[in-house]
Amino acid sequence: MYTLHKIYILALLSLFTASNSHADSIRNSRRTAVVEAVERIQPSVVSLHVRYRERVSQLYQFRGDPFLNFFSPFYYVVPQDRNRVSTGSGFVVDNKGYILTNSHVIGDPHSLQRITVSLPEPDGRTFEAHYVASDINFDLAVLKVDEADLPVAPLGNSDDILVGEWALAIGNPFDLGPTVSIGVVSALDRDIPEPQGEYYYRDMIQTDAAINPGNSGGPLANADGEVMGINSFIYTGGDYTIGSIGIGFAIPINTARSFLDEIRLHGQVRRSWTGIMALQDITRPLAEYLALDSIYGALVVKIAMGSPAEVAGLESGDVITAIGGEKIQDTDEAIGKLRGLRVGEVATLDVVRHNEHYKLDLLIEKRPRHRMRR
């Protein structure tokens, strides 16, 4: 009898152990690399609420003679200011309280009234942030919170991204609060030919992770929980469609690093200057006149005296065919690449002059207050 009782207890213990082992197996299977990546980066992602003043035109009807207004109503426009609140995302980049986001999330800094940032639960703290600087060439902005005890996002290396690897978009879409979506890196080095609003985007990361209004400024992370890029805009498939269809774009984090370095060292973004005052597209008649092999490139029309362009040896009439080893299709592409250069960088220009090919090293300088033209 005692032996049977002992066997029964051992059997129960065995079943209990097997049940716990099964539960542990399920629990462990739920803790994927994606879950661990989200736990690593999400605490540093903030929801932004930006209050600003905007000028609008209000239409009023003249309240004169009702009989005349019935046949020929008279309207007049009165400009008015009103408060607006926009939402977006951002993430903490260091223990000094700097927060990185998109410039278009902040808008015109002169119209700002208040910026609040909220950390996700379980922290849940809300702070007032102040605007530091923007770089409209890259659609980047940095804010600062006077609070040192903030979780910091691990920044990765966007030069080490693999097409097809996991991509996590974290942010505040439609002001719903902290939200995670997952996809893959669809493509790299995407140049967007048409401006998105006021911004030209180049060398972008493409992803099919769901990005929606409000995600702007939030991080695009890899499966290690490191920031690869800053979610910036999406294609929606039509003028009246709002929402993700799986084509979203993020600014590489290495592009943002140079922006952050400018802020930390100089307190602002130094405006770069090349001295190239005017460029022109190459038409077929112009290509024939200049004896060019193609219409690709940008014709230099005017440069400033004593400018970096003149020091580099660039002349009016030269055709720029490549910048930094990347071929130039037209004037817009040339301007976009030149605007993307930082003060102190050296860009190698491939130039055609009188059927001769040259390479010129252009040192980017800080834009002077007064310039002379020729």
Side-chain angles (χ1 to χ4, degrees):
M1 182 71 179
Y2 175 76
T3 303
L4 291 175
H5 182 68
K6 187 175 182 180
I7 292 173
Y8 178 71
I9 292 175
L10 290 174
L12 286 177
L13 287 174
S14 178
L15 288 172
F16 179 75
T17 301
S19 176
N20 281 345
S21 177
H22 181 64
D24 289 342
S25 177
I26 293 175
R27 189 176 300 110
N28 290 335
S29 70
R30 293 174 59 198
R31 293 200 59 78
T32 63
V34 171
V35 171
E36 293 180 356
V38 171
E39 289 177 344
R40 186 182 184 195
I41 192 171
Q42 190 172 41
S44 63
V45 182
V46 298
S47 299
L48 296 178
H49 291 84
V50 181
R51 190 174 71 185
Y52 60 95
R53 296 282 288 176
E54 69 172 359
R55 175 60 61 93
V56 296
S57 297
Q58 187 67 43
L59 188 66
Y60 290 96
Q61 182 176 358
F62 179 69
R63 299 297 182 182
D65 189 325
F67 180 78
L68 293 177
N69 280 342
F70 178 80
F71 291 101
S72 181
F74 176 73
Y75 296 94
Y76 60 98
V77 176
V78 177
Q80 293 181 341
D81 289 333
R82 68 179 179 185
N83 291 333
R84 287 288 299 274
V85 176
S86 64
T87 61
S89 307
F91 53 97
V92 183
V93 293
D94 60 25
N95 55 16
K96 294 182 179 180
Y98 282 112
I99 295 171
L100 188 63
T101 185
N102 281 134
S103 176
H104 76 257
V105 171
I106 304 303
D108 181 4
H110 297 98
S111 64
L112 289 174
Q113 291 188 315
R114 187 183 184 191
I115 305 173
T116 57
V117 300
S118 302
L119 292 169
E121 298 294 343
D123 189 311
R125 289 178 293 170
T126 297
F127 305 97
E128 185 165 346
H130 62 266
Y131 168 82
V132 177
S134 295
D135 190 341
I136 60 173
N137 292 331
F138 292 96
D139 190 17
L140 293 171
V142 66
L143 311 173
K144 194 172 188 302
V145 172
D146 295 326
E147 174 64 45
D149 184 24
L150 295 176
V152 177
L155 304 185
N157 179 8
S158 53
D159 292 336
D160 194 34
I161 300 175
L162 302 174
V163 174
E165 70 171 301
W166 291 117
L168 310 175
I170 307 176
N172 179 31
F174 299 108
D175 203 22
L176 293 173
T179 302
V180 178
S181 60
I182 186 170
V184 298
V185 174
S186 304
L188 299 172
D189 300 323
R190 290 293 200 206
D191 289 342
I192 311 303
E194 298 296 328
Q196 307 298 309
E198 300 178 3
Y199 304 97
Y200 286 88
Y201 294 96
R202 302 191 181 277
D203 302 320
M204 301 291 283
I205 305 166
Q206 182 181 331
T207 181
D208 66 348
I211 297 174
N212 289 288
N215 273 111
S216 290
L220 185 71
N222 59 21
D224 288 329
E226 298 172 331
V227 179
M228 297 186 291
I230 301 95
N231 300 317
S232 299
F233 75 98
I234 58 175
Y235 280 157
T236 59
D239 294 337
Y240 305 102
T241 303
I242 299 178
S244 173
I245 61 170
I247 304 178
F249 297 92
I251 300 168
I253 191 61
N254 286 3
T255 299
R257 285 181 189 275
S258 61
F259 167 63
L260 290 170
D261 290 343
E262 279 276 298
I263 301 303
R264 290 169 179 146
L265 290 173
H266 305 284
Q268 62 179 348
V269 176
R270 295 173 298 168
R271 296 185 64 191
S272 60
W273 186 49
T274 64
I276 301 174
M277 308 304 294
L279 294 172
Q280 179 180 328
D281 284 336
I282 308 296
T283 63
R284 291 200 177 278
L286 186 57
E288 292 177 4
Y289 176 77
L290 296 175
L292 300 174
D293 295 333
S294 72
I295 62 171
Y296 299 121
L299 176 68
V300 178
V301 177
K302 182 186 297 185
I303 62 173
M305 293 178 59
S307 68
E310 186 178 59
V311 172
L314 196 66
E315 298 178 2
S316 298
D318 288 351
V319 176
I320 301 174
T321 58
I323 299 175
E326 297 184 24
K327 292 184 177 179
I328 297 299
Q329 300 293 317
D330 53 27
T331 296
D332 285 343
E333 188 168 11
I335 292 173
K337 290 187 180 299
L338 290 171
R339 287 176 60 185
L341 297 171
R342 299 286 185 189
V343 175
E345 287 188 68
V346 176
T348 300
L349 308 182
D350 286 45
V351 171
V352 176
R353 179 190 303 159
H354 305 309
N355 294 324
E356 297 289 336
H357 293 262
Y358 300 90
K359 287 187 179 293
L360 306 177
D361 289 332
L362 175 64
L363 174 63
I364 310 303
E365 296 182 4
K366 182 180 178 181
R367 182 181 294 272
R369 291 182 176 226
H370 302 287
R371 302 188 303 274
M372 295 179 63
R373 300 185 179 185
R374 73 174 187 183

